[in-house]
Amino acid sequence: MNIDDIRYRRLGYVALTVTDLEKSRHFYETLVGLKMDEEPDGECAFFRCSDRHHDLVIYTGQEPALKRVAWQMESDKALEAVRQHFSGLGIETVAVSAEEQAKLGIGEAFRMTEPTTGATFEFYCDMLDAPSAYETTHTKIARLGHLVINSPDRAATEKFLMEDMNFRVSDRIKGMVTFMRCFPNPYHHSFGVGASKSAGLNHVNFMVTEMADVGKANNRMKKANVPIVFGIGKHPPSESVFIYFLDPDGMTVEYSYGMEEFPEEAPRDPRDLPASLESIDYWEGVPDPKMAKIGVVEPLK
Ligand SMILES: CC(C)c1ccc(C(=O)O)c(O)c1O
Ligand SMILES: [Fe+2]
């Protein structure tokens, strides 16, 4: 096995910790437009925007947090390759129990602590299908798009993801953020690393199918008194039209429309965009200071 055997299908799912499960359930189901198949069991609630078991899971807890980020591997071989690679580095890998696999609707899986941020990463290959096809609601959500994490050492996080997880850099905004793809997934970024004083959640993104989904969110969130913290705008790195808003705990969620795709062979080189607001919004918007501030990194238990 070598590093090239570590191949991903996609950003699998994101797990967040919220302080009020019912409030957050209402937000993610009714305002974001995700589908919940089963009533929450008191511990957690599963949501989807695909035909798979879940794309987002929220757990109840003491403080808002990024609980874990889960990566769906391309094959069992790729799952074993990444596990062996971490073991070779002396990084502990913790198997997900059969009981928890059953609850999550996933096959064999393991977790580890990403060493530069302390974030919990999970790796699995198989996830059950949902009981029915995903039907869009007010918003034509196309997929769970990406997660951006704040890192106290952006260069070190980027290096770990490239050298030890076989990610690729699509673009950087100097001193601010690195956009990365989990190879060979084609999307411009399924993960971003933001420079920050401490590790934490920056935001979770859902890709939408029409520009109207972004415009409608602007009106829907305002009507529901949900804080909009950036947008509507257009991002230069991925060329997407975006809006960011806050969940009930203040964690940042983004909708965006449009994203560059990369071929597996002979992709373009990453660009280094200047460290300025023009690099995050063609339309000259300015983010609210509350954007990307809430969500500690929850350690692996
Ligand atoms: C402002 C943030 C970090 C940002 C910048 C650019 C893009 C993009 O090009 O898609 C994002 O998704 C972002 O979240
Ligand atoms: Fe984003």
Side-chain angles (χ1 to χ4, degrees):
M1 299 261 189
N2 65 46
I3 195 84
D4 297 327
D5 294 323
I6 302 177
R7 292 171 62 91
Y8 301 82
R9 203 169 295 282
R10 59 171 67 85
L11 168 61
Y13 73 91
V14 171
L16 299 176
T17 299
V18 302
T19 59
D20 185 327
L21 201 67
E22 266 314 303
K23 249 195 208 168
S24 295
R25 172 244 173 112
H26 171 79
F27 172 83
Y28 285 104
E29 192 178 25
T30 310
L31 292 170
V32 178
L34 302 175
K35 166 99 172 128
M36 206 182 66
D37 291 308
E38 276 177 33
E39 281 300 308
D41 63 1
E43 186 207 12
C44 67
F46 292 98
F47 300 91
R48 62 184 174 98
C49 52
S50 69
D51 297 346
R52 291 179 294 280
H53 183 272
H54 65 277
D55 298 277
L56 173 74
V57 51
I58 59 172
Y59 289 81
T60 183
Q62 292 299 310
E63 62 177 336
L66 173 62
K67 193 173 182 72
R68 63 179 175 273
V69 185
W71 298 101
Q72 185 173 22
M73 307 308 293
E74 202 180 68
S75 61
D76 289 335
K77 183 181 168 199
L79 179 62
E80 184 51 21
V82 70
R83 199 192 59 71
Q84 274 187 20
H85 184 73
F86 292 148
S87 294
L89 293 173
I91 294 174
E92 189 189 6
T93 59
V94 180
V96 177
S97 69
E99 190 191 353
E100 199 177 359
Q101 284 177 33
K103 182 167 183 172
L104 293 167
I106 57 174
E108 193 195 330
F110 74 87
R111 297 181 183 143
M112 50 77 81
T113 300
E114 192 285 309
T116 69
T117 57
T120 301
F121 282 0
E122 178 180 288
F123 300 83
Y124 67 92
C125 179
D126 300 316
M127 181 182 271
L128 289 179
D129 288 339
S132 57
Y134 173 63
E135 284 173 25
T136 56
T137 55
H138 47 62
T139 303
K140 295 191 182 65
I141 300 179
R143 62 179 181 276
L144 170 67
H146 58 265
L147 181 127
V148 176
I149 197 164
N150 289 330
S151 170
D153 188 343
R154 184 176 66 114
T157 308
E158 180 187 313
K159 186 170 184 281
F160 182 81
L161 288 161
M162 280 211 302
E163 294 180 4
D164 295 311
M165 287 180 56
N166 200 25
F167 278 35
R168 301 287 189 275
V169 173
S170 296
D171 283 316
R172 298 181 187 86
I173 301 178
K174 280 195 179 120
M176 284 170 79
V177 57
T178 307
F179 299 103
M180 307 187 81
R181 51 192 199 279
C182 53
F183 186 79
N185 183 288
Y187 295 118
H188 180 276
H189 57 286
S190 36
F191 199 69
V193 187
S196 184
K197 280 203 198 81
S198 53
L201 174 70
N202 186 296
H203 66 273
V204 182
N205 166 283
F206 295 93
M207 296 290 307
V208 297
T209 314
E210 295 177 354
M211 182 100 74
D213 292 321
V214 176
K216 277 160 63 184
N218 186 43
N219 292 320
R220 186 170 66 257
M221 299 303 170
K222 278 184 185 157
K223 206 167 151 194
N225 290 318
V226 170
I228 293 169
V229 289
F230 195 20
I232 299 173
K234 186 168 179 178
H235 285 314
S238 67
E239 299 282 334
S240 60
V241 173
F242 67 84
I243 185 165
Y244 297 82
F245 41 89
L246 300 183
D247 88 350
D249 283 297
M251 291 188 280
T252 302
V253 179
E254 176 185 26
Y255 274 165
S256 63
Y257 163 67
M259 183 166 267
E260 183 185 353
E261 293 183 31
F262 285 68
E264 181 171 340
E265 304 287 339
R268 70 159 172 80
D269 287 334
R271 300 167 298 192
D272 275 315
L273 305 178
S276 69
L277 280 177
E278 288 99 81
S279 295
I280 58 171
D281 188 5
Y282 281 125
W283 298 347
E284 300 177 0
V286 178
D288 184 291
K290 290 200 279 297
M291 178 177 159
K293 294 294 190 303
I294 303 292
V296 297
V297 163
E298 200 169 295
L300 175 58
K301 282 181 203 116

Short mmCIF file of all heavy atoms in Angstrom, two decimals, residues 149-175:
data_model
loop_
_atom_site.label_atom_id
_atom_site.label_comp_id
_atom_site.label_asym_id
_atom_site.label_seq_id
_atom_site.Cartn_x
_atom_site.Cartn_y
_atom_site.Cartn_z
N ILE A 149 -12.39 24.29 8.36
CA ILE A 149 -11.96 24.23 9.76
C ILE A 149 -10.99 25.37 10.01
O ILE A 149 -10.24 25.77 9.11
CB ILE A 149 -11.31 22.85 10.06
CG1 ILE A 149 -11.23 22.61 11.56
CG2 ILE A 149 -9.95 22.70 9.41
CD1 ILE A 149 -10.95 21.16 11.92
N ASN A 150 -11.03 25.94 11.21
CA ASN A 150 -10.03 26.94 11.60
C ASN A 150 -8.85 26.21 12.21
O ASN A 150 -9.04 25.32 13.04
CB ASN A 150 -10.62 27.90 12.63
CG ASN A 150 -11.65 28.83 12.02
OD1 ASN A 150 -11.58 29.17 10.84
ND2 ASN A 150 -12.62 29.24 12.82
N SER A 151 -7.67 26.61 11.79
CA SER A 151 -6.47 25.96 12.31
C SER A 151 -5.49 27.00 12.86
O SER A 151 -5.27 28.03 12.21
CB SER A 151 -5.77 25.18 11.18
OG SER A 151 -4.49 24.75 11.60
N PRO A 152 -4.86 26.70 14.01
CA PRO A 152 -3.85 27.63 14.53
C PRO A 152 -2.54 27.54 13.72
O PRO A 152 -1.68 28.39 13.87
CB PRO A 152 -3.65 27.16 15.97
CG PRO A 152 -4.09 25.74 16.00
CD PRO A 152 -5.12 25.56 14.92
N ASP A 153 -2.39 26.51 12.90
CA ASP A 153 -1.19 26.36 12.06
C ASP A 153 -1.65 25.85 10.69
O ASP A 153 -1.59 24.64 10.40
CB ASP A 153 -0.21 25.39 12.73
CG ASP A 153 1.14 25.36 12.01
OD1 ASP A 153 1.22 25.83 10.84
OD2 ASP A 153 2.12 24.88 12.61
N ARG A 154 -2.12 26.80 9.88
CA ARG A 154 -2.72 26.43 8.59
C ARG A 154 -1.75 25.63 7.72
O ARG A 154 -2.13 24.65 7.07
CB ARG A 154 -3.18 27.71 7.86
CG ARG A 154 -3.91 27.43 6.57
CD ARG A 154 -4.43 28.71 5.95
NE ARG A 154 -3.36 29.59 5.53
CZ ARG A 154 -3.10 29.92 4.26
NH1 ARG A 154 -3.83 29.44 3.29
NH2 ARG A 154 -2.12 30.75 3.97
N ALA A 155 -0.48 26.06 7.72
CA ALA A 155 0.51 25.38 6.86
C ALA A 155 0.68 23.93 7.28
O ALA A 155 0.76 23.02 6.44
CB ALA A 155 1.85 26.11 6.93
N ALA A 156 0.69 23.70 8.61
CA ALA A 156 0.88 22.32 9.10
C ALA A 156 -0.35 21.47 8.77
O ALA A 156 -0.21 20.29 8.40
CB ALA A 156 1.14 22.33 10.60
N THR A 157 -1.54 22.05 8.88
CA THR A 157 -2.76 21.28 8.57
C THR A 157 -2.77 20.93 7.09
O THR A 157 -3.03 19.78 6.69
CB THR A 157 -4.03 22.07 8.96
OG1 THR A 157 -3.90 22.51 10.31
CG2 THR A 157 -5.28 21.23 8.80
N GLU A 158 -2.45 21.92 6.27
CA GLU A 158 -2.40 21.70 4.81
C GLU A 158 -1.40 20.58 4.48
O GLU A 158 -1.69 19.68 3.69
CB GLU A 158 -2.01 23.02 4.13
CG GLU A 158 -1.93 22.93 2.64
CD GLU A 158 -1.38 24.22 2.01
OE1 GLU A 158 -1.83 25.34 2.37
OE2 GLU A 158 -0.49 24.09 1.16
N LYS A 159 -0.24 20.63 5.13
CA LYS A 159 0.81 19.64 4.86
C LYS A 159 0.34 18.23 5.26
O LYS A 159 0.51 17.27 4.51
CB LYS A 159 2.06 20.03 5.66
CG LYS A 159 3.29 19.21 5.41
CD LYS A 159 4.50 19.88 6.09
CE LYS A 159 5.79 19.15 5.79
NZ LYS A 159 6.01 17.96 6.56
N PHE A 160 -0.30 18.13 6.43
CA PHE A 160 -0.78 16.81 6.87
C PHE A 160 -1.80 16.27 5.87
O PHE A 160 -1.76 15.09 5.49
CB PHE A 160 -1.38 16.89 8.28
CG PHE A 160 -1.82 15.55 8.79
CD1 PHE A 160 -0.91 14.65 9.34
CD2 PHE A 160 -3.14 15.14 8.66
CE1 PHE A 160 -1.32 13.38 9.76
CE2 PHE A 160 -3.56 13.88 9.08
CZ PHE A 160 -2.64 12.99 9.64
N LEU A 161 -2.72 17.13 5.47
CA LEU A 161 -3.78 16.67 4.55
C LEU A 161 -3.20 16.25 3.20
O LEU A 161 -3.66 15.28 2.58
CB LEU A 161 -4.83 17.77 4.37
CG LEU A 161 -5.72 17.99 5.60
CD1 LEU A 161 -6.40 19.34 5.55
CD2 LEU A 161 -6.76 16.90 5.71
N MET A 162 -2.20 16.97 2.75
CA MET A 162 -1.60 16.62 1.45
C MET A 162 -0.72 15.39 1.56
O MET A 162 -0.85 14.46 0.78
CB MET A 162 -0.75 17.79 0.94
CG MET A 162 -1.59 18.88 0.31
SD MET A 162 -0.71 19.74 -0.99
CE MET A 162 0.71 20.36 -0.18
N GLU A 163 0.16 15.40 2.53
CA GLU A 163 1.19 14.35 2.57
C GLU A 163 0.72 13.06 3.22
O GLU A 163 1.21 11.99 2.90
CB GLU A 163 2.44 14.88 3.29
CG GLU A 163 3.09 15.99 2.49
CD GLU A 163 4.34 16.56 3.16
OE1 GLU A 163 4.76 16.05 4.21
OE2 GLU A 163 4.87 17.54 2.59
N ASP A 164 -0.23 13.18 4.16
CA ASP A 164 -0.64 11.98 4.89
C ASP A 164 -2.07 11.57 4.63
O ASP A 164 -2.51 10.53 5.12
CB ASP A 164 -0.38 12.18 6.39
CG ASP A 164 1.11 12.31 6.65
OD1 ASP A 164 1.86 11.46 6.16
OD2 ASP A 164 1.53 13.30 7.28
N MET A 165 -2.82 12.39 3.88
CA MET A 165 -4.19 12.00 3.54
C MET A 165 -4.45 12.04 2.04
O MET A 165 -5.56 11.80 1.59
CB MET A 165 -5.20 12.88 4.29
CG MET A 165 -5.27 12.52 5.78
SD MET A 165 -6.44 13.53 6.74
CE MET A 165 -7.97 13.29 5.88
N ASN A 166 -3.44 12.42 1.27
CA ASN A 166 -3.53 12.44 -0.20
C ASN A 166 -4.61 13.41 -0.72
O ASN A 166 -5.27 13.14 -1.71
CB ASN A 166 -3.78 11.02 -0.75
CG ASN A 166 -3.41 10.91 -2.22
OD1 ASN A 166 -2.57 11.67 -2.72
ND2 ASN A 166 -4.03 9.98 -2.93
N PHE A 167 -4.77 14.54 -0.02
CA PHE A 167 -5.61 15.62 -0.54
C PHE A 167 -4.80 16.45 -1.54
O PHE A 167 -3.57 16.36 -1.59
CB PHE A 167 -6.09 16.54 0.59
CG PHE A 167 -7.28 16.04 1.38
CD1 PHE A 167 -7.47 14.69 1.62
CD2 PHE A 167 -8.21 16.93 1.89
CE1 PHE A 167 -8.57 14.23 2.35
CE2 PHE A 167 -9.31 16.49 2.61
CZ PHE A 167 -9.49 15.15 2.85
N ARG A 168 -5.50 17.26 -2.33
CA ARG A 168 -4.86 18.20 -3.25
C ARG A 168 -5.29 19.62 -2.92
O ARG A 168 -6.43 19.84 -2.50
CB ARG A 168 -5.27 17.93 -4.70
CG ARG A 168 -4.95 16.54 -5.21
CD ARG A 168 -3.45 16.34 -5.45
NE ARG A 168 -3.18 15.08 -6.13
CZ ARG A 168 -3.04 13.90 -5.52
NH1 ARG A 168 -3.12 13.80 -4.21
NH2 ARG A 168 -2.79 12.80 -6.23
N VAL A 169 -4.37 20.58 -3.16
CA VAL A 169 -4.73 21.99 -2.98
C VAL A 169 -5.31 22.50 -4.30
O VAL A 169 -4.71 22.31 -5.36
CB VAL A 169 -3.50 22.83 -2.59
CG1 VAL A 169 -3.83 24.32 -2.57
CG2 VAL A 169 -2.97 22.41 -1.22
N SER A 170 -6.48 23.15 -4.22
CA SER A 170 -7.08 23.75 -5.43
C SER A 170 -6.68 25.22 -5.53
O SER A 170 -6.35 25.70 -6.62
CB SER A 170 -8.60 23.62 -5.39
OG SER A 170 -8.96 22.26 -5.41
N ASP A 171 -6.75 25.94 -4.42
CA ASP A 171 -6.38 27.36 -4.38
C ASP A 171 -6.07 27.75 -2.95
O ASP A 171 -6.53 27.09 -2.01
CB ASP A 171 -7.57 28.25 -4.84
CG ASP A 171 -7.77 28.24 -6.35
OD1 ASP A 171 -6.75 28.34 -7.08
OD2 ASP A 171 -8.92 28.12 -6.79
N ARG A 172 -5.33 28.85 -2.83
CA ARG A 172 -5.12 29.44 -1.50
C ARG A 172 -5.45 30.92 -1.58
O ARG A 172 -5.23 31.55 -2.63
CB ARG A 172 -3.65 29.34 -1.05
CG ARG A 172 -3.13 27.94 -0.90
CD ARG A 172 -1.67 27.98 -0.43
NE ARG A 172 -1.10 26.62 -0.44
CZ ARG A 172 -0.54 26.05 -1.50
NH1 ARG A 172 -0.46 26.70 -2.66
NH2 ARG A 172 -0.05 24.83 -1.42
N ILE A 173 -5.96 31.47 -0.48
CA ILE A 173 -5.97 32.94 -0.34
C ILE A 173 -4.88 33.21 0.69
O ILE A 173 -4.94 32.70 1.82
CB ILE A 173 -7.34 33.47 0.13
CG1 ILE A 173 -8.45 33.08 -0.86
CG2 ILE A 173 -7.28 35.00 0.29
CD1 ILE A 173 -9.85 33.51 -0.46
N LYS A 174 -3.88 33.97 0.28
CA LYS A 174 -2.66 34.13 1.08
C LYS A 174 -2.97 34.49 2.55
O LYS A 174 -3.72 35.44 2.79
CB LYS A 174 -1.78 35.22 0.48
CG LYS A 174 -0.98 34.75 -0.68
CD LYS A 174 0.13 35.75 -1.02
CE LYS A 174 0.92 35.23 -2.18
NZ LYS A 174 0.91 36.12 -3.34
N GLY A 175 -2.39 33.74 3.46
CA GLY A 175 -2.53 34.03 4.89
C GLY A 175 -3.91 33.76 5.45
O GLY A 175 -4.12 33.92 6.66
#
